[in-house]
PDB file of all heavy atoms in Angstrom:
ATOM      1  N   VAL A  67     -88.274 -61.692-299.351  1.00 98.00           N
ATOM      2  CA  VAL A  67     -89.166 -62.634-298.639  1.00 98.00           C
ATOM      3  C   VAL A  67     -89.664 -63.665-299.569  1.00 98.00           C
ATOM      4  O   VAL A  67     -89.543 -64.983-299.313  1.00 98.00           O
ATOM      5  CB  VAL A  67     -90.260 -61.893-297.976  1.00 98.00           C
ATOM      6  CG1 VAL A  67     -91.333 -62.922-297.486  1.00 98.00           C
ATOM      7  CG2 VAL A  67     -89.761 -60.985-296.816  1.00 98.00           C
ATOM      8  N   VAL A  68     -90.218 -63.345-300.698  1.00 98.00           N
ATOM      9  CA  VAL A  68     -90.785 -64.241-301.671  1.00 98.00           C
ATOM     10  C   VAL A  68     -89.736 -65.245-302.187  1.00 98.00           C
ATOM     11  O   VAL A  68     -89.992 -66.420-302.254  1.00 98.00           O
ATOM     12  CB  VAL A  68     -91.494 -63.519-302.815  1.00 98.00           C
ATOM     13  CG1 VAL A  68     -92.098 -64.489-303.841  1.00 98.00           C
ATOM     14  CG2 VAL A  68     -92.651 -62.567-302.296  1.00 98.00           C
ATOM     15  N   ALA A  69     -88.611 -64.684-302.622  1.00 98.00           N
ATOM     16  CA  ALA A  69     -87.511 -65.557-303.041  1.00 98.00           C
ATOM     17  C   ALA A  69     -87.038 -66.634-301.917  1.00 98.00           C
ATOM     18  O   ALA A  69     -86.856 -67.706-302.284  1.00 98.00           O
ATOM     19  CB  ALA A  69     -86.352 -64.696-303.517  1.00 98.00           C
ATOM     20  N   THR A  70     -86.988 -66.117-300.747  1.00 98.00           N
ATOM     21  CA  THR A  70     -86.567 -66.951-299.602  1.00 98.00           C
ATOM     22  C   THR A  70     -87.632 -68.070-299.350  1.00 98.00           C
ATOM     23  O   THR A  70     -87.321 -69.180-299.074  1.00 98.00           O
ATOM     24  CB  THR A  70     -86.323 -66.206-298.377  1.00 98.00           C
ATOM     25  OG1 THR A  70     -85.327 -65.098-298.693  1.00 98.00           O
ATOM     26  CG2 THR A  70     -85.783 -67.076-297.308  1.00 98.00           C
ATOM     27  N   VAL A  71     -88.867 -67.689-299.458  1.00 98.00           N
ATOM     28  CA  VAL A  71     -89.861 -68.707-299.314  1.00 98.00           C
ATOM     29  C   VAL A  71     -89.700 -69.842-300.304  1.00 98.00           C
ATOM     30  O   VAL A  71     -89.890 -71.036-300.037  1.00 98.00           O
ATOM     31  CB  VAL A  71     -91.315 -68.075-299.381  1.00 98.00           C
ATOM     32  CG1 VAL A  71     -92.338 -69.287-299.451  1.00 98.00           C
ATOM     33  CG2 VAL A  71     -91.619 -67.260-298.231  1.00 98.00           C
ATOM     34  N   LEU A  72     -89.378 -69.551-301.582  1.00 98.00           N
ATOM     35  CA  LEU A  72     -89.130 -70.532-302.661  1.00 98.00           C
ATOM     36  C   LEU A  72     -88.024 -71.486-302.158  1.00 98.00           C
ATOM     37  O   LEU A  72     -88.179 -72.717-302.331  1.00 98.00           O
ATOM     38  CB  LEU A  72     -88.829 -69.912-303.945  1.00 98.00           C
ATOM     39  CG  LEU A  72     -88.596 -70.937-305.105  1.00 98.00           C
ATOM     40  CD1 LEU A  72     -89.845 -71.773-305.294  1.00 98.00           C
ATOM     41  CD2 LEU A  72     -88.313 -70.181-306.420  1.00 98.00           C
ATOM     42  N   GLU A  73     -86.927 -70.850-301.679  1.00 98.00           N
ATOM     43  CA  GLU A  73     -85.921 -71.698-301.116  1.00 98.00           C
ATOM     44  C   GLU A  73     -86.347 -72.613-300.115  1.00 98.00           C
ATOM     45  O   GLU A  73     -85.935 -73.851-299.981  1.00 98.00           O
ATOM     46  CB  GLU A  73     -84.757 -70.857-300.559  1.00 98.00           C
ATOM     47  CG  GLU A  73     -83.972 -69.948-301.606  1.00 98.00           C
ATOM     48  CD  GLU A  73     -82.933 -69.041-300.998  1.00 98.00           C
ATOM     49  OE1 GLU A  73     -82.845 -69.085-299.735  1.00 98.00           O
ATOM     50  OE2 GLU A  73     -82.267 -68.382-301.725  1.00 98.00           O
ATOM     51  N   GLN A  74     -87.190 -72.142-299.183  1.00 98.00           N
ATOM     52  CA  GLN A  74     -87.609 -72.900-297.922  1.00 98.00           C
ATOM     53  C   GLN A  74     -88.682 -73.973-298.588  1.00 98.00           C
ATOM     54  O   GLN A  74     -88.737 -75.075-297.945  1.00 98.00           O
ATOM     55  CB  GLN A  74     -88.262 -72.058-297.021  1.00 98.00           C
ATOM     56  CG  GLN A  74     -87.300 -71.119-296.323  1.00 98.00           C
ATOM     57  CD  GLN A  74     -87.881 -70.232-295.264  1.00 98.00           C
ATOM     58  OE1 GLN A  74     -89.167 -70.077-295.171  1.00 98.00           O
ATOM     59  NE2 GLN A  74     -87.060 -69.586-294.400  1.00 98.00           N
ATOM     60  N   LEU A  75     -89.485 -73.619-299.472  1.00 98.00           N
ATOM     61  CA  LEU A  75     -90.359 -74.665-300.139  1.00 98.00           C
ATOM     62  C   LEU A  75     -89.564 -75.818-300.784  1.00 98.00           C
ATOM     63  O   LEU A  75     -89.939 -77.001-300.573  1.00 98.00           O
ATOM     64  CB  LEU A  75     -91.218 -74.012-301.250  1.00 98.00           C
ATOM     65  CG  LEU A  75     -92.328 -73.128-300.794  1.00 98.00           C
ATOM     66  CD1 LEU A  75     -92.943 -72.374-301.963  1.00 98.00           C
ATOM     67  CD2 LEU A  75     -93.464 -73.958-300.107  1.00 98.00           C
ATOM     68  N   GLY A  76     -88.399 -75.502-301.304  1.00 97.00           N
ATOM     69  CA  GLY A  76     -87.540 -76.490-301.856  1.00 97.00           C
ATOM     70  C   GLY A  76     -86.988 -77.416-300.774  1.00 97.00           C
ATOM     71  O   GLY A  76     -86.960 -78.671-300.914  1.00 97.00           O
ATOM     72  N   GLN A  77     -86.651 -76.759-299.590  1.00 97.00           N
ATOM     73  CA  GLN A  77     -86.131 -77.582-298.479  1.00 97.00           C
ATOM     74  C   GLN A  77     -87.200 -78.547-297.953  1.00 97.00           C
ATOM     75  O   GLN A  77     -87.009 -79.720-297.602  1.00 97.00           O
ATOM     76  CB  GLN A  77     -85.677 -76.720-297.314  1.00 97.00           C
ATOM     77  CG  GLN A  77     -84.446 -75.851-297.751  1.00 97.00           C
ATOM     78  CD  GLN A  77     -84.149 -74.719-296.717  1.00 97.00           C
ATOM     79  OE1 GLN A  77     -84.793 -74.672-295.745  1.00 97.00           O
ATOM     80  NE2 GLN A  77     -83.111 -73.926-297.089  1.00 97.00           N
ATOM     81  N   ARG A  78     -88.439 -78.138-297.942  1.00 96.00           N
ATOM     82  CA  ARG A  78     -89.550 -78.866-297.496  1.00 96.00           C
ATOM     83  C   ARG A  78     -89.986 -79.957-298.449  1.00 96.00           C
ATOM     84  O   ARG A  78     -90.333 -81.105-298.037  1.00 96.00           O
ATOM     85  CB  ARG A  78     -90.818 -77.990-297.161  1.00 96.00           C
ATOM     86  CG  ARG A  78     -90.575 -76.984-296.052  1.00 96.00           C
ATOM     87  CD  ARG A  78     -90.761 -77.640-294.684  1.00 96.00           C
ATOM     88  NE  ARG A  78     -90.789 -76.605-293.763  1.00 96.00           N
ATOM     89  CZ  ARG A  78     -91.929 -76.200-293.106  1.00 96.00           C
ATOM     90  NH1 ARG A  78     -93.140 -76.723-293.492  1.00 96.00           N
ATOM     91  NH2 ARG A  78     -91.971 -75.257-292.110  1.00 96.00           N
ATOM     92  N   LEU A  79     -89.887 -79.632-299.734  1.00 97.00           N
ATOM     93  CA  LEU A  79     -90.486 -80.528-300.740  1.00 97.00           C
ATOM     94  C   LEU A  79     -89.385 -81.268-301.569  1.00 97.00           C
ATOM     95  O   LEU A  79     -89.716 -81.986-302.471  1.00 97.00           O
ATOM     96  CB  LEU A  79     -91.386 -79.645-301.669  1.00 97.00           C
ATOM     97  CG  LEU A  79     -92.561 -78.921-300.965  1.00 97.00           C
ATOM     98  CD1 LEU A  79     -93.345 -78.072-301.983  1.00 97.00           C
ATOM     99  CD2 LEU A  79     -93.462 -79.998-300.282  1.00 97.00           C
ATOM    100  N   GLY A  80     -88.152 -81.034-301.273  1.00 97.00           N
ATOM    101  CA  GLY A  80     -87.098 -81.871-301.811  1.00 97.00           C
ATOM    102  C   GLY A  80     -86.528 -81.405-303.206  1.00 97.00           C
ATOM    103  O   GLY A  80     -86.276 -82.251-304.051  1.00 97.00           O
ATOM    104  N   PHE A  81     -86.423 -80.126-303.310  1.00 97.00           N
ATOM    105  CA  PHE A  81     -85.796 -79.639-304.555  1.00 97.00           C
ATOM    106  C   PHE A  81     -84.971 -78.417-304.198  1.00 97.00           C
ATOM    107  O   PHE A  81     -85.130 -77.763-303.215  1.00 97.00           O
ATOM    108  CB  PHE A  81     -86.753 -79.280-305.647  1.00 97.00           C
ATOM    109  CG  PHE A  81     -87.706 -78.106-305.416  1.00 97.00           C
ATOM    110  CD1 PHE A  81     -87.346 -76.876-305.926  1.00 97.00           C
ATOM    111  CD2 PHE A  81     -88.804 -78.281-304.657  1.00 97.00           C
ATOM    112  CE1 PHE A  81     -88.179 -75.735-305.699  1.00 97.00           C
ATOM    113  CE2 PHE A  81     -89.644 -77.208-304.341  1.00 97.00           C
ATOM    114  CZ  PHE A  81     -89.324 -75.969-304.970  1.00 97.00           C
ATOM    115  N   THR A  82     -84.037 -78.056-305.120  1.00 98.00           N
ATOM    116  CA  THR A  82     -83.147 -76.877-304.825  1.00 98.00           C
ATOM    117  C   THR A  82     -83.316 -75.859-306.028  1.00 98.00           C
ATOM    118  O   THR A  82     -82.733 -76.136-307.082  1.00 98.00           O
ATOM    119  CB  THR A  82     -81.692 -77.296-304.717  1.00 98.00           C
ATOM    120  OG1 THR A  82     -81.624 -78.318-303.673  1.00 98.00           O
ATOM    121  CG2 THR A  82     -80.863 -76.087-304.394  1.00 98.00           C
ATOM    122  N   PRO A  83     -83.961 -74.838-305.836  1.00 98.00           N
ATOM    123  CA  PRO A  83     -84.193 -73.874-306.946  1.00 98.00           C
ATOM    124  C   PRO A  83     -82.927 -73.085-307.215  1.00 98.00           C
ATOM    125  O   PRO A  83     -82.119 -72.886-306.222  1.00 98.00           O
ATOM    126  CB  PRO A  83     -85.284 -72.898-306.443  1.00 98.00           C
ATOM    127  CG  PRO A  83     -85.195 -72.997-304.888  1.00 98.00           C
ATOM    128  CD  PRO A  83     -84.831 -74.402-304.675  1.00 98.00           C
ATOM    129  N   THR A  84     -82.669 -72.644-308.365  1.00 97.00           N
ATOM    130  CA  THR A  84     -81.507 -71.880-308.788  1.00 97.00           C
ATOM    131  C   THR A  84     -81.697 -70.422-308.232  1.00 97.00           C
ATOM    132  O   THR A  84     -82.785 -69.946-307.910  1.00 97.00           O
ATOM    133  CB  THR A  84     -81.263 -71.828-310.279  1.00 97.00           C
ATOM    134  OG1 THR A  84     -82.346 -71.097-310.819  1.00 97.00           O
ATOM    135  CG2 THR A  84     -81.257 -73.247-310.846  1.00 97.00           C
ATOM    136  N   ALA A  85     -80.532 -69.703-308.149  1.00 97.00           N
ATOM    137  CA  ALA A  85     -80.627 -68.316-307.680  1.00 97.00           C
ATOM    138  C   ALA A  85     -81.502 -67.550-308.665  1.00 97.00           C
ATOM    139  O   ALA A  85     -82.225 -66.646-308.222  1.00 97.00           O
ATOM    140  CB  ALA A  85     -79.145 -67.705-307.690  1.00 97.00           C
ATOM    141  N   GLU A  86     -81.342 -67.837-309.969  1.00 97.00           N
ATOM    142  CA  GLU A  86     -82.190 -67.096-310.955  1.00 97.00           C
ATOM    143  C   GLU A  86     -83.698 -67.333-310.730  1.00 97.00           C
ATOM    144  O   GLU A  86     -84.491 -66.430-310.898  1.00 97.00           O
ATOM    145  CB  GLU A  86     -81.799 -67.446-312.418  1.00 97.00           C
ATOM    146  CG  GLU A  86     -82.523 -66.663-313.509  1.00 97.00           C
ATOM    147  CD  GLU A  86     -82.319 -65.193-313.448  1.00 97.00           C
ATOM    148  OE1 GLU A  86     -81.353 -64.702-312.774  1.00 97.00           O
ATOM    149  OE2 GLU A  86     -83.198 -64.542-314.110  1.00 97.00           O
ATOM    150  N   GLU A  87     -84.046 -68.627-310.541  1.00 98.00           N
ATOM    151  CA  GLU A  87     -85.435 -68.923-310.324  1.00 98.00           C
ATOM    152  C   GLU A  87     -85.982 -68.137-309.040  1.00 98.00           C
ATOM    153  O   GLU A  87     -87.083 -67.814-309.072  1.00 98.00           O
ATOM    154  CB  GLU A  87     -85.639 -70.470-310.076  1.00 98.00           C
ATOM    155  CG  GLU A  87     -85.446 -71.290-311.364  1.00 98.00           C
ATOM    156  CD  GLU A  87     -85.466 -72.766-311.162  1.00 98.00           C
ATOM    157  OE1 GLU A  87     -84.870 -73.184-310.041  1.00 98.00           O
ATOM    158  OE2 GLU A  87     -85.786 -73.521-312.044  1.00 98.00           O
ATOM    159  N   CYS A  88     -85.102 -68.105-308.063  1.00 98.00           N
ATOM    160  CA  CYS A  88     -85.557 -67.407-306.860  1.00 98.00           C
ATOM    161  C   CYS A  88     -85.719 -65.915-307.101  1.00 98.00           C
ATOM    162  O   CYS A  88     -86.755 -65.251-306.614  1.00 98.00           O
ATOM    163  CB  CYS A  88     -84.631 -67.573-305.679  1.00 98.00           C
ATOM    164  SG  CYS A  88     -84.468 -69.292-305.025  1.00 98.00           S
ATOM    165  N   ARG A  89     -84.866 -65.368-307.819  1.00 97.00           N
ATOM    166  CA  ARG A  89     -84.944 -63.929-308.199  1.00 97.00           C
ATOM    167  C   ARG A  89     -86.184 -63.658-308.992  1.00 97.00           C
ATOM    168  O   ARG A  89     -86.918 -62.725-308.703  1.00 97.00           O
ATOM    169  CB  ARG A  89     -83.693 -63.484-308.977  1.00 97.00           C
ATOM    170  CG  ARG A  89     -83.591 -61.980-309.195  1.00 97.00           C
ATOM    171  CD  ARG A  89     -82.588 -61.661-310.179  1.00 97.00           C
ATOM    172  NE  ARG A  89     -82.946 -61.990-311.614  1.00 97.00           N
ATOM    173  CZ  ARG A  89     -83.769 -61.180-312.376  1.00 97.00           C
ATOM    174  NH1 ARG A  89     -84.175 -60.107-311.863  1.00 97.00           N
ATOM    175  NH2 ARG A  89     -84.001 -61.585-313.552  1.00 97.00           N
ATOM    176  N   GLU A  90     -86.394 -64.424-310.057  1.00 98.00           N
ATOM    177  CA  GLU A  90     -87.596 -64.312-310.870  1.00 98.00           C
ATOM    178  C   GLU A  90     -88.927 -64.412-310.092  1.00 98.00           C
ATOM    179  O   GLU A  90     -89.859 -63.762-310.277  1.00 98.00           O
ATOM    180  CB  GLU A  90     -87.526 -65.225-312.105  1.00 98.00           C
ATOM    181  CG  GLU A  90     -86.467 -64.937-313.063  1.00 98.00           C
ATOM    182  CD  GLU A  90     -86.460 -65.765-314.351  1.00 98.00           C
ATOM    183  OE1 GLU A  90     -87.216 -66.796-314.281  1.00 98.00           O
ATOM    184  OE2 GLU A  90     -85.659 -65.639-315.154  1.00 98.00           O
ATOM    185  N   PHE A  91     -88.853 -65.453-309.234  1.00 98.00           N
ATOM    186  CA  PHE A  91     -90.079 -65.703-308.379  1.00 98.00           C
ATOM    187  C   PHE A  91     -90.405 -64.455-307.516  1.00 98.00           C
ATOM    188  O   PHE A  91     -91.482 -64.121-307.303  1.00 98.00           O
ATOM    189  CB  PHE A  91     -89.823 -67.000-307.546  1.00 98.00           C
ATOM    190  CG  PHE A  91     -91.062 -67.381-306.781  1.00 98.00           C
ATOM    191  CD1 PHE A  91     -92.197 -67.700-307.423  1.00 98.00           C
ATOM    192  CD2 PHE A  91     -91.045 -67.401-305.363  1.00 98.00           C
ATOM    193  CE1 PHE A  91     -93.348 -68.197-306.770  1.00 98.00           C
ATOM    194  CE2 PHE A  91     -92.108 -67.886-304.592  1.00 98.00           C
ATOM    195  CZ  PHE A  91     -93.356 -68.259-305.293  1.00 98.00           C
TER     196      PHE A  91
END
Side-chain angles (χ1 to χ4, degrees):
V67 169
V68 177
T70 304
V71 171
L72 181 60
E73 294 177 357
Q74 294 180 346
L75 285 170
Q77 293 167 8
R78 294 284 191 97
L79 301 174
F81 70 97
T82 304
T84 67
E86 181 61 16
E87 285 172 330
C88 291
R89 188 191 74 82
E90 290 182 356
F91 186 63

